[in-house]
Amino acid sequence: MLTHAQTQEHIITELKEVNAKVSGTSCNTGKGMLISNKAMNVFLNNKVSSYLSDGTDLSLYKNYVNLNTAEGRLSISHNFHQPVDSDDYVRSFVVVGARVNIANTYASRFSNKYVNNQLGFVLQKTWMGKPVTYYNNCGSQKLAMDAQRAALLHSLATELKTKANDYEQVLDSVKQSEVPGQSLASAKNTLRRDFYAALRLEYLQKFSEVQSDLLVQSNNFNLITDNWTTFGVYLPVIPQKFQVSTDLASNVSSRHNYPFEVFITHTRFFESPKIGRIFFTINAKGFLNNTVQSGTLYQADVNEGSIINGAETVTINKGDRFIGNYRNFFTPAVSGKLVYIPGNSHVGLSFRVEKNFGTYHALNSILGIPIVLIDKKGAPAINFECQLLFADMSNTIKTNLPGNKTSIGLTVGIPFSKIVY
C-alpha cells in the first residue's frame, strides 16, 4: 500500500503548502517572509559564509577548515545539525572540531628550537535567531516574489510529473521473470516507495535553492537581519611545554600549561542590496595563560662552545629557552569585531579590538581585508583575510623595548560538503 509520500500528487501538494505559507503572510508591517524558511537557510548560508576567518565565525556547511598563519593554527570543524522534515529555519546546532598548532613544529625542525606542540578539541553550541526580511509593505517587492515563486512552483511540478510518469512506465515494463523469488507487486511497491521518497527530498531541496537564487538575483528586499549566539570550550590534549630559567646563569627547567579556554560570542548580521553586508560580533572569553605566551619573558638561544672548521669558527646551537619567572594564570578578555563587505563585492574590510584583563592586560587589534572566492554556482568556495596585527597597543609588556609590535597575518577559511537545512 502506498503512503502519501509515494505519490506525485502528495509531493506537489506539499510544495504548494510551503508556497502558501509564504504568500499568505501579511505584508502590512513591511516585514515577514519572501521565501520559505529552508530557502532562507540556503540564502543565509551563502551570505554568512562569505566571511569565515576564525573557528568561531558562523558557517552553515557541514564541514569547514580554518588556517591562521599568525597563530600557526589549523582548525577542522564538523557541524552535527540534523535537518527537520518540516519547512523550518535552523534553530541550533553543535559543532565539534580539532585545533592543532603547525607553524612552530614545522619551523623547529630547521632551527633546532624546542617544539611547542598544541592539540585540542573545540566544542560549540550555537543558537540561531529567526531571520527577518524587510520589504516595501505590500508593494512591488512582495508582489514580484509571490509571482516568481508561483511560476517556479508550477515549473517544478511539471518537471516532477514528467519524471514520475517516466518512472511509472519503467515499472510497468518490469516482468515477474526478471525478479525471481519475490512477488512482482511487492518488488514494484518497494521500488516505487524509494523512488518517491528520494523524489520528494530532491524537489523540496530544489524549491528551496531556486527560491534563494530568485531573491539573490532580484534583490527584492530592503534588509535581511539575523543573529546568533555561540558558547564553546577548547579542551587541550597536549600541554604547551617550555624550557625556562630564571636568569642566564640558572639551570633550565621544563614548564608546561594546558591552555583551556571558554568563550561566548554574539553576532548581529545585516544584508542590504544598497549598503552591503555587515557583521558585528562581541566576544567574551577566559583562558589559562602563561608568562611565555603573554610575551612577558625573554627568549634566548643556547650555544655551547665553538670548533674550528678550516678557516671558519662554528658555534654549536643547542636550541632556545626563555629567561624570567615563569607562571600560569587565568586571563579574561572581551573583544568586538566589525566586518563590512559592499554589495556584490568579493572584498571587504574588518576591524577587531581586544582588551585583556588581569596579569596580562594588553590591548590588541586587527585590521583585515577579507576576500571571498566563489564557485560556479555563486556560493563561497574559499575565504582569505589579509591582516595587520597591532599587539600591546597600550605598551604594557616589555616597556623598555622599542621593538615593532606590528605584524602581518593571513587567515584561510574553506567550507565544504553540503549545507545544513
Side-chain angles (χ1 to χ4, degrees), residues 48-300:
V48 170
S49 294
S50 63
Y51 184 78
L52 188 59
S53 178
D54 187 78
T56 59
D57 292 325
L58 180 69
S59 174
L60 293 179
Y61 279 87
K62 294 292 289 184
N63 303 288
Y64 52 96
V65 175
N66 291 96
L67 174 65
N68 187 319
T69 62
E71 299 180 4
R73 186 176 68 197
L74 176 68
S75 301
I76 304 174
S77 303
H78 176 74
N79 190 323
F80 281 88
H81 177 267
Q82 295 299 321
V84 296
D85 194 51
S86 59
D87 181 64
D88 198 5
Y89 64 94
V90 176
R91 295 177 180 268
S92 66
F93 51 83
V94 173
V95 173
V96 177
R99 182 190 298 177
V100 61
N101 171 278
I102 57 173
N104 177 271
T105 303
Y106 182 78
S108 298
R109 297 288 184 183
F110 301 96
S111 60
N112 197 34
K113 296 182 182 295
Y114 292 104
V115 175
N116 179 20
N117 288 312
Q118 295 182 45
L119 171 65
F121 296 97
V122 180
L123 307 177
Q124 298 178 190
K125 172 74 173 183
T126 297
W127 295 268
M128 298 287 296
K130 185 175 182 178
V132 179
T133 304
Y134 296 86
Y135 48 86
N136 57 355
N137 288 7
C138 299
S140 59
Q141 293 175 331
K142 168 71 171 171
L143 299 178
M145 287 302 299
D146 283 349
Q148 290 175 337
R149 200 175 52 255
L152 168 64
L153 172 62
H154 287 283
S155 173
L156 292 180
T158 300
E159 181 183 306
L160 184 153
K161 289 178 180 178
T162 301
K163 187 174 291 188
N165 291 335
D166 289 345
Y167 190 74
E168 289 294 342
Q169 292 181 7
V170 170
L171 290 181
D172 290 341
S173 65
V174 177
K175 298 179 175 56
Q176 178 64 64
S177 60
E178 297 172 324
V179 286
Q182 59 181 308
S183 165
L184 177 61
S186 177
K188 287 184 177 182
N189 282 337
T190 300
L191 292 172
R192 185 176 286 111
R193 181 194 62 206
D194 294 342
F195 170 78
Y196 282 106
L199 192 68
R200 173 181 178 270
L201 295 177
E202 176 188 350
Y203 276 85
L204 285 174
Q205 179 174 332
K206 185 176 291 188
F207 190 38
S208 299
E209 291 175 346
V210 182
Q211 283 183 79
S212 173
D213 292 341
L214 287 175
L215 191 60
V216 170
Q217 294 164 8
S218 67
N219 281 329
N220 277 320
F221 65 96
N222 294 330
L223 178 68
I224 292 177
T225 67
D226 201 356
N227 68 88
W228 53 88
T229 300
T230 299
F231 175 79
V233 295
Y234 169 66
L235 303 172
V237 176
I238 300 177
Q240 296 172 310
K241 295 181 180 180
F242 310 103
Q243 301 295 317
V244 182
S245 61
T246 54
D247 54 51
L248 292 174
S250 301
N251 293 328
V252 176
S253 61
S254 297
R255 308 299 297 270
H256 69 274
N257 176 47
Y258 284 90
F260 169 84
E261 180 180 327
V262 58
F263 59 88
I264 184 169
T265 68
H266 180 74
T267 299
R268 294 278 176 173
F269 171 78
F270 307 87
E271 172 76 16
S272 168
K274 295 181 179 180
I275 299 175
R277 197 167 308 136
I278 296 175
F279 301 79
F280 176 66
T281 301
I282 55 175
N283 172 279
K285 69 176 181 179
F287 61 101
L288 290 181
N289 203 347
N290 59 76
T291 48
V292 172
Q293 185 172 299
S294 62
T296 305
L297 302 190
Y298 295 88
Q299 190 171 6

Side-chain angles (χ1 to χ4, degrees), residues 387-405:
Q387 298 180 333
L388 186 61
L389 299 90
F390 304 92
D392 190 26
M393 298 170 62
S394 52
N395 199 34
T396 61
I397 304 172
K398 298 177 182 175
T399 56
N400 60 322
L401 293 181
N404 185 7
K405 297 181 180 180

Side-chain angles (χ1 to χ4, degrees), residues 300-319:
D301 286 331
V302 181
N303 299 319
E304 182 181 79
S306 301
I307 60 174
I308 304 299
N309 182 14
E312 299 179 342
T313 301
V314 180
T315 301
I316 301 173
N317 185 348
K318 294 186 64 179

